[in-house]
């Protein structure tokens, strides 16, 4: 237990330049208190003392503004910076050396049973306001941008931004603006492109029909004028 406490405190000093002393970190960092509260709640949860676990987690939520379900599995050296508004779901799994900023949600997308929350790899940074929703994996060494909405698996060493979240960097190299559908399918973009293509085809058909109607009217007008002259 004391080994975990020391590593949690060390993570604060490694990731927050504003940290000045051990005394300040131990008594004033709400994110650290939320992690310690979760470790207590999780120990009750593993013993199937579910009500006691939820009582501890809810007290921690009241004191810190960070809601971590007692069933969530958290690795070593998690750093929660300005943690207000963070929500971590029951079946969420978080690896080692992860950084989470305020307003992040690691949640599910429905009422399905079993694993329904994301698995976060090692050395992942999740920016302020990001939403990671569903049962999939965020790869090691990845960065989730602020306010991104991630709904599908993220490869290792990737940077994700936007709503819905899309990979813009992989292994340090920028991903082409034109989507590679074999590696990163985007149903929304596919639908928009399909609709755009349909609209263009309809315009072309309407244009051809207008041309044919105009030509037919010209022929009929010429015939009418010719009959009138006779």
């Amino acid at each position: 237990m004391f080994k975990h406490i020391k590593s949690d405190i060390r993570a604060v000093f490694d990731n927050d330049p504003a940290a000045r002393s051990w005394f300040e970190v131990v008594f004033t960092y709400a994110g650290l208190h939320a992690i310690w509260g979760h470790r207590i709640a999780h120990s009750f949860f593993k013993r199937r003392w579910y009500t006691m676990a939820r009582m501890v987690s809810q007290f921690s939520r009241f004191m810190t503004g960070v809601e971590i379900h007692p069933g969530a599995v958290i690795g070593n050296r998690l750093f929660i910076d300005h943690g207000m508004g963070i929500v971590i779901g029951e079946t969420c799994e978080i690896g080692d050396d992860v950084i989470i900023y305020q307003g992040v949600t690691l949640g599910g997308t429905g009422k399905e049973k079993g694993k329904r929350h994301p698995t976060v790899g090692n050395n992942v940074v999740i920016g302020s306001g990001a939403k990671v929703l569903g049962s999939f994996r965020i790869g090691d060494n990845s960065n989730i941008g602020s306010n991104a909405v991630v709904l599908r698996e993220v490869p290792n060493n990737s940077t994700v931004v936007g709503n819905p979240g899309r990979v813009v960097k992989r292994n340090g190299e920028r991903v082409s603006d034109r989507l590679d559908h074999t590696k990163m399918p985007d149903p929304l973009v596919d639908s928009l492109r399909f609709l755009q293509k349909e609209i263009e085809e309809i315009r072309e058909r309407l244009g051809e029909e207008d041309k044919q109607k105009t030509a037919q009217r010209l022929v009929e007008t010429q015939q009418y004028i010719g009959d009138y002259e006779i």
Side-chain angles (χ1 to χ4, degrees):
M1 182 181 69
F2 291 104
K3 184 178 180 181
H4 277 302
I5 290 174
K6 290 182 66 175
S7 66
D8 292 336
I9 296 173
R10 176 51 56 190
V12 174
F13 284 102
D14 290 342
N15 294 289
D16 188 359
R20 296 181 178 84
S21 68
W22 283 59
F23 184 87
E24 179 184 31
V25 169
V26 169
F27 287 99
T28 67
Y29 273 65
L32 190 62
H33 301 159
I35 294 170
W36 290 345
H38 171 72
R39 296 199 192 284
I40 297 171
H42 187 63
S43 67
F44 288 131
F45 188 87
K46 289 192 296 184
R47 293 178 175 86
R48 298 188 179 183
W49 297 357
Y50 299 127
T51 301
M52 180 63 70
R54 288 308 299 266
M55 290 175 64
V56 173
S57 70
Q58 290 301 300
F59 177 75
S60 176
R61 174 180 179 269
F62 175 78
M63 296 299 294
T64 66
V66 178
E67 182 170 350
I68 308 175
H69 193 283
V73 178
I74 293 178
N76 298 316
R77 297 176 298 280
L78 171 65
F79 176 56
I80 295 177
D81 194 17
H82 303 292
M84 184 64 69
I86 288 176
V87 177
I88 299 175
E90 177 184 6
T91 61
C92 186
E93 299 174 32
I94 300 176
D96 298 334
D97 301 298
V98 173
I99 300 174
I100 300 177
Y101 289 92
Q102 70 271 19
V104 167
T105 297
L106 304 178
T109 56
K111 296 182 178 179
E112 67 274 14
K113 300 293 184 179
K115 185 76 166 76
R116 60 190 184 277
H117 298 97
T119 297
V120 180
N122 301 322
N123 301 301
V124 173
V125 177
I126 306 178
S128 303
K131 313 300 177 188
V132 184
L133 307 175
S135 178
F136 52 84
R137 190 173 189 277
I138 304 298
D140 297 343
N141 308 306
S142 293
N143 296 314
I144 309 301
S146 296
N147 296 314
V149 179
V150 185
L151 302 174
R152 59 179 179 271
E153 186 163 341
V154 176
N156 293 340
N157 309 304
S158 298
T159 299
V160 178
V161 300
N163 180 7
R166 62 189 186 279
V167 177
V168 295
K169 276 189 178 181
R170 186 179 298 126
N171 296 319
E173 297 183 0
R174 179 170 290 278
V175 176
S176 173
D177 290 337
R178 299 186 67 180
L179 296 178
D180 183 349
H181 296 290
T182 62
K183 296 181 181 178
M184 192 176 57
D186 192 327
L188 177 60
V189 173
D190 287 346
S191 298
L192 292 175
R193 287 178 174 170
F194 177 78
L195 290 174
Q196 182 64 33
K197 184 178 179 181
E198 287 288 306
I199 291 171
E200 291 175 356
E201 291 178 354
I202 291 171
R203 285 177 176 173
E204 290 179 1
R205 289 200 297 268
L206 290 175
E208 291 296 327
E209 291 178 0
D210 289 341
K211 289 179 182 179
Q212 292 176 1
K213 288 180 181 179
T214 300
Q216 181 66 29
R217 288 174 182 172
L218 286 174
V219 171
E220 292 175 354
T221 302
Q222 289 174 353
Q223 291 177 350
Y224 175 78
I225 292 174
D227 294 340
Y228 181 78
E229 289 176 351
I230 294 174

